[in-house]
Structure formats: C-alpha cells, structure tokens
Amino acid sequence: MADKAYITPSVLQWARKSAKISEEVAASKVSVTVEKLKEWESGASQPTIRQAQTLAKSYKRPFSLFFLPEIPNDFQPLQDYRKNNAKVLGTASVFIIREMQQKQSWISEVNMENDEVKLPFVGKYSIEDDPQKVAKDILETLEINPSHYETETPIKEWITKAESKGIFISRTSFIHSRLTLDSEELQGFAIADPYAPFVFINSDDWNAPQLFTLVHELAHIWIAATGISNDIEPGIKNTDRFHPVELFCNEVAANALIPSDIIMGLDHDAITDAKQVFKESKKLGISSFAFLVRALNLNLISHAQYKTIKDEVTVEFKAFLQREEVKKAKQKQKENKGGPNPYLLNLNKNSRLFTQIVLDAFKGGFIEPVQASHLLNVKVNNFHKLEAQLYKYL
C-alpha cells in the first residue's frame, strides 16, 4: 500500500484556494473524486505521497509546505488598480504574480545584503506631479530619444535600456501550454522596490500595445505605485471609471512615447493622412490609435477628423496584420518544427537581467545549483542553452 502523506489539511486547502483552483480541477489532477479531495482537506483521510506531490506541483507550492503546522505567511496581494468590474484574476495570473514576487524578493534581499545603493528614480515623483515632467525624467534616465531609436523595434531598446538601469523586465503570455494569461484580466504589473524594481508585461499582443504597457508600468515605478494594471491605453474615455494612478501613468506613457515636440513638428499630412499616420506610428513603436489620440488631445486634429482618420487607419492596420501573419508563417517554416526556442521564452519571462545575475551567482559559487535551477525554472545541465540566448536579440 502506498505511503500516506500526513499533511496539514488546512494548509492543503489554503494552497488550492490561493491558486484559484476549483475542487473539481484539483481532484482531476490526481484522478480522485471531489468527495475524496474534501476528505483530505478536512483531515478525514490522507492522500498518498505521490498524490500530495502532484497537488503541490499543480498549486506551484513546495511539497514540504503541506507539512507545516499552520497556514504560512504568503506574499501580500498586489494593489489592484484595475476597474471595479475587472475580471477576477485566474490561476495563470495568480501564478505569474507569485512567481515574479518570489524572484523580486530574492534579488532585492541580495542587493540589500550587498549594500547596493537604492535606485534614485523609484518613487522620485507622485501623481501630484506633471506627467510631462515624469515622462521627460524617464526618457533622460533611460537615455532614450523617441525621435531617433537605435533599433527598428523600439520595445527592444526600451527593455535593454531599462534593464541596464537595474529594472527587471519580464514578458510572457503563458505559464505552460495549457495555462495561458488572459489579457482581459492582466496586461501588466509593477513592483516598485528601490533595490529591485520589477515590471511584468503580458506579451499576448503585438509590440505596440506591449510598449505602451511597459512605459505605463515604468511610470508606476517612478511614483512607487506597486500594483497590477489593465485597460492600459491613451486617452481613456469615461475616465471616472478608472483609478487616478492608472490615468496618471497613461498620461506619462503618452508623453514619453509621443513627446509633444515630435508630433507637433510633423507636417499636416503626417497627422491627417492614414498611410502617413501608420508610418509615423510605426517609427515611434506605438499604435496608430495612440498616435491619433495624442494628436486629438493636443488639438492638432478635430473630433471629426479623428473619427475619419481612425476608420481609414483601421483598414491600413488590418492589411498590416495580414502581412505580419505571412511573415510569421514564413519564419515558422525556417525554424524547426518544434516552435519557438523554449530557452528564449524562459529568458524573456525571467528577464535577461535576472537570468544573468543568477547565472553569475551560480558560477561564482554564491548560490547552490538547486536554488539557481528553481529561480530560473531550468535544469542545471541546461544552463548553457539558456545562457546562449542571452547574447541574441530579444
């Protein structure tokens, strides 16, 4: 007979509920009835060691945690800046937030123990400040000039330069193939810690919305407003439905990505001709919608012009998406049939800066192999494959 796991029932139940997993789903993971799962969670009976290990893996908790005498202290939920009627965070969102909190907590403690200097831009401003001033400081700190990007893909430059200043940038759209992130639940979040600020971006979208989300979350760092966001976009309508912090960070992002001097310096056609609008937006790494809203807010076009041009730009955008799909199809044919490189995906999720720090600590003998493997979600004997991706483009 299989050995029983004499776990603490209340801890087992807490682990399931905190993972936002239903009794039905949890029971299916170990091929038992809901009634049997309830017995384990009430203490009427015990799961086998193998069953408990399976549940620990499903809940993304250490197996040893189940044997604690009482429910442990967990990471505090992040401030929710989303609308009041926002979708409840599901399992994937809970898991990615918890994972980033674990990584952030580890690197923050390391930096404090090493007497690293606090990053001066974290909490440098508040929502009482001028969004344009905050945007300018972000650009100057990261040494970014939106009118002259150094790469053809602006988001690459933003991520590279943000990480060069000590900001960890994580991007992914899934936990695993069967557990994906819902962009209607979560577009991004920020952890505004002066020793190790983290920004997460849901990559389930094309680059332009991701870039706006990134800069929006950087604004959270600059005003020390740790929390999760959604409905991130410029010029939101019905602003009374949104948190003041979200409105402020959207204004900062709009000012940083589309500085007034750049858009006001364009000729008339660049703002009113759909093809030119699409072209100029692409240069800035933003969506045509964001470009037009900015032009409208600066009184460069009227509401009537905005509606007309927006309809025309939508046609251009659909054509662009079709071209992109063709490019992706051709690229997939060139790549191996196994899909995207899993180590590249893992690197982007962990953040390149975080990955480099952990690998350096491992090589220097400052952390054990097991801990390094846990932090990077990669087996030690595959570290070389992960490291190879560090020197490639995002």
Side-chain angles (χ1 to χ4, degrees):
M1 186 174 179
D3 291 335
K4 295 293 184 178
Y6 292 92
I7 49 86
T8 304
S10 61
V11 174
L12 182 68
Q13 184 182 72
W14 165 82
R16 175 182 61 78
K17 289 184 176 180
S18 65
K20 302 286 186 177
I21 294 177
S22 67
E23 293 174 333
E24 290 76 15
V25 171
S28 70
K29 298 288 184 182
V30 284
S31 301
V32 299
T33 63
V34 171
E35 287 68 29
K36 176 58 69 175
L37 180 74
K38 287 181 176 179
E39 285 183 15
W40 298 344
E41 291 187 352
S42 67
S45 65
Q46 296 79 36
T48 65
I49 291 178
R50 183 182 292 274
Q51 288 170 327
Q53 289 174 328
T54 299
L55 289 177
K57 184 178 180 181
S58 298
Y59 302 162
K60 288 195 175 294
R61 296 287 188 179
F63 175 53
S64 58
L65 179 142
F66 287 168
F67 297 89
L68 293 175
E70 56 187 27
I71 295 172
N73 292 325
D74 201 15
F75 287 107
Q76 292 299 311
L78 298 183
Q79 173 74 38
D80 193 343
Y81 290 112
R82 302 176 305 155
K83 292 184 296 185
N84 292 332
N85 62 347
K87 292 181 68 173
V88 176
L89 296 179
T91 300
S93 295
V94 168
F95 281 174
I96 198 64
I97 291 172
R98 185 197 304 163
E99 181 177 345
M100 290 305 117
Q101 285 180 307
Q102 291 171 340
K103 296 181 193 300
Q104 189 280 327
S105 177
W106 178 80
I107 193 62
S108 181
E109 289 181 9
V110 168
N111 285 342
M112 282 191 284
E113 289 174 0
N114 292 336
D115 294 322
E116 296 288 342
V117 177
K118 290 183 178 181
L119 297 174
F121 51 79
V122 178
K124 185 176 181 180
Y125 298 97
S126 74
I127 60 172
E128 301 302 320
D129 288 298
D130 182 353
Q132 189 171 353
K133 182 180 180 181
V134 180
K136 183 180 179 182
D137 193 71
I138 290 175
L139 292 173
E140 290 177 350
T141 300
L142 302 188
E143 300 176 23
I144 289 176
N145 182 353
S147 64
H148 297 288
Y149 281 118
E150 298 171 5
T151 68
E152 292 184 1
T153 311
I155 192 171
K156 292 181 180 179
E157 184 172 337
W158 275 90
I159 292 175
T160 299
K161 292 194 172 183
E163 294 212 313
S164 74
K165 300 299 181 180
I167 306 169
F168 298 84
I169 310 295
S170 166
R171 286 199 301 167
T172 193
S173 61
F174 61 92
I175 303 301
H176 51 67
S177 60
R178 297 180 302 281
L179 191 58
T180 58
L181 290 167
D182 185 348
S183 59
E184 292 186 10
E185 286 179 17
L186 178 71
Q187 275 183 272
F189 61 81
I191 302 176
D193 179 87
Y195 290 102
F198 258 71
V199 165
F200 172 79
I201 307 164
N202 185 344
S203 62
D204 186 25
D205 213 332
W206 60 299
N207 282 340
Q210 284 187 55
L211 178 55
F212 200 92
T213 297
L214 169 59
V215 183
H216 172 102
E217 299 303 338
L218 289 176
H220 274 262
I221 300 294
W222 255 252
I223 61 172
T226 294
I228 61 176
S229 306
N230 207 20
D231 294 298
I232 299 171
E233 58 184 21
I236 298 175
K237 296 179 180 179
N238 300 320
T239 56
D240 58 310
R241 295 164 50 211
F242 294 83
H243 196 287
V245 166
E246 292 299 88
L247 295 173
F248 181 85
C249 291
N250 279 334
E251 280 297 306
V252 172
N255 275 279
L257 290 168
I258 324 163
S260 58
D261 59 331
I262 291 179
I263 192 169
M264 293 178 76
L266 298 173
D267 59 37
H268 184 70
D269 287 344
I271 301 173
T272 57
D273 179 78
K275 290 186 177 181
Q276 288 297 314
V277 167
F278 186 80
K279 181 179 178 181
E280 294 297 333
S281 301
K282 190 175 180 181
K283 286 181 186 177
L284 294 169
I286 59 171
S287 68
S288 300
F289 169 71
F291 183 92
L292 287 173
V293 170
R294 184 77 167 127
L296 176 63
N297 290 340
L298 290 172
N299 297 315
L300 299 177
I301 56 175
S302 65
H303 280 277
Q305 286 177 308
Y306 166 76
K307 291 179 180 179
T308 300
I309 303 168
K310 182 183 176 183
D311 290 341
E312 294 173 352
V313 166
T314 299
V315 176
E316 290 290 327
F317 179 64
K318 288 181 179 179
F320 164 76
L321 288 181
Q322 291 177 347
R323 293 194 297 271
E324 288 298 301
E325 287 300 321
V326 172
K327 287 181 182 179
K328 287 181 181 179
K330 290 182 178 179
Q331 184 63 31
K332 284 184 179 180
Q333 290 177 354
K334 292 181 181 179
E335 296 176 351
N336 57 44
K337 295 183 180 179
N341 187 305
Y343 296 99
L344 177 60
L345 295 176
N346 184 286
L347 180 65
N348 288 335
K349 184 180 81 166
N350 287 333
S351 111
R352 288 171 175 258
L353 176 59
F354 184 84
T355 300
Q356 186 67 73
I357 290 174
V358 174
L359 288 175
D360 288 346
F362 167 70
K363 290 178 181 178
F366 298 110
I367 58 175
E368 296 296 324
V370 173
Q371 185 180 17
S373 178
H374 173 72
L375 288 168
L376 297 176
N377 305 115
V378 174
K379 294 180 180 179
V380 175
N381 59 0
N382 287 326
F383 276 7
H384 67 285
K385 295 180 181 178
L386 184 63
E387 189 170 23
Q389 297 301 317
L390 276 170
Y391 306 103
K392 295 183 179 181
Y393 290 111
L394 288 165

